[in-house]
Amino acid sequence: MSDDGGSPNEDPLRRFLHADSGPLLFVREVLSSALAVALVGLLLFAVAGVWPPMVAVESESMEPHMHPGDLVFMTEPDRFAPSFAVGDTGVVTAETGATEEFRSFDGYGSVVIYQTPERAARGQSPIIHRAMFHVEEGENWYDEANPAYVNGESCQAIRYCPAPHAGFITKGDNNAKYDQALDFAGPVRSDWIRGIAQVRIPYLGWVRLVFSGTVTPAQVGPVGDAGVVTAATTEGSNTTAAGGQGVRPSLASGSPTPVSAR
């Protein structure tokens, strides 16, 4: 008899499948676990249409609707898009959402995960914020904006007005101003959008944030505590960079990468 409980003359495949001890059992369990993880990953990709399909929230700029340490599942922008989304972007603005009664994370409009070329070049996390309204290239969007969410008293007072290109004006639910009024980014192009947030799972994002070094185990605290991670205030001060809410996109194993919710 061998040390895995099988006969030395037994068929190798049968020994591998039926071993109840020894190295064959260990190898079989490892392979079974790896296969299970791979199948879960394939299922998530099939549903989401984007990889990685999850992000971990780093900061407080989307509170009270998202918190640091939340794990957020996202889908490809044009997947499950309603007919009143902006063109083929799959994004519903807060402006349209209020008319169509389309809500996401307790607010009107889609919550998008976007990454600008400048942030990507600096190695900074993507941003997860709400799409407020859409502008065309050259548009003076000051008059369409909520006066409380802009700086100055005219388009000329805002760096990205008139709009240098078509895109979305975005805002963190917990921030006082639009991203574009705070110079976080220009109007968000559709090709900057990595996905649309669909579901959040509290606490699970801390795992990725700790392993990525974004926070230390000692910094992990109750969701919503101020100062648990770099916080974006309602005045637009930085979380990950210049006040965004950070999230980390998921890796091949399905774990999220820190992302910025400014």
Side-chain angles (χ1 to χ4, degrees):
M1 296 290 290
S2 65
D3 62 0
D4 56 29
S7 168
N9 297 321
E10 189 177 1
D11 177 67
L13 179 60
R14 181 177 177 81
R15 288 179 58 196
F16 177 75
L17 294 176
H18 297 284
D20 56 10
S21 63
L24 290 182
L25 174 62
F26 174 77
V27 171
R28 191 180 71 217
E29 293 300 312
V30 169
L31 291 178
S32 297
S33 299
L35 179 60
V37 170
L39 289 175
V40 170
L42 287 173
L43 177 61
L44 289 174
F45 177 71
V47 173
V50 63
W51 194 263
M54 291 175 288
V55 293
V57 176
E58 293 179 354
S59 66
E60 297 147 328
S61 71
M62 281 298 290
E63 289 189 339
H65 307 128
M66 292 181 183
H67 303 280
D70 282 354
L71 186 66
V72 177
F73 178 75
M74 66 179 178
T75 57
E76 191 176 22
D78 60 357
R79 188 159 293 208
F80 314 123
S83 60
F84 43 82
V86 177
D88 60 358
T89 66
V91 177
V92 178
T93 64
E95 190 176 61
T96 300
T99 301
E100 300 290 342
E101 285 299 317
F102 177 90
R103 299 180 67 86
S104 174
F105 296 94
D106 294 320
Y108 291 119
S110 302
V111 174
V112 301
I113 295 91
Y114 72 89
Q115 176 67 301
T116 68
E118 294 78 14
R119 289 179 64 84
R122 294 193 294 263
Q124 294 175 321
S125 302
I127 295 169
I128 179 170
H129 276 177
R130 195 175 301 276
M132 304 303 290
F133 58 93
H134 187 267
V135 298
E136 299 297 333
E137 181 178 355
E139 180 178 343
N140 177 344
W141 52 270
Y142 183 88
D143 293 336
E144 186 178 355
N146 184 326
Y149 299 159
V150 294
N151 295 317
E153 298 181 353
S154 68
C155 179
Q156 288 68 35
I158 303 172
R159 176 182 176 187
Y160 296 109
C161 185
H165 52 257
F168 295 94
I169 303 302
T170 52
K171 179 181 175 295
D173 290 354
N174 194 35
N175 283 354
K177 308 292 182 182
Y178 297 120
D179 297 353
Q180 292 68 32
L182 295 170
D183 292 348
F184 293 165
V188 176
R189 295 178 183 268
S190 58
D191 59 346
W192 294 355
I193 297 175
R194 293 186 170 187
I196 295 179
Q198 301 292 350
V199 178
R200 77 175 182 94
I201 306 172
Y203 303 109
L204 290 187
W206 286 122
V207 176
R208 173 58 185 167
L209 295 177
V210 169
F211 278 101
S212 70
T214 304
V215 298
T216 65
Q219 290 175 296
V220 176
V223 170
D225 278 3
V228 171
V229 292
T230 313
T233 69
T234 55
E235 295 303 318
S237 58
N238 295 4
T239 53
T240 302
Q245 178 146 347
V247 289
R248 295 250 177 206
S250 318
L251 305 179
S253 64
S255 61
T257 305
V259 171
S260 269
R262 295 187 172 213

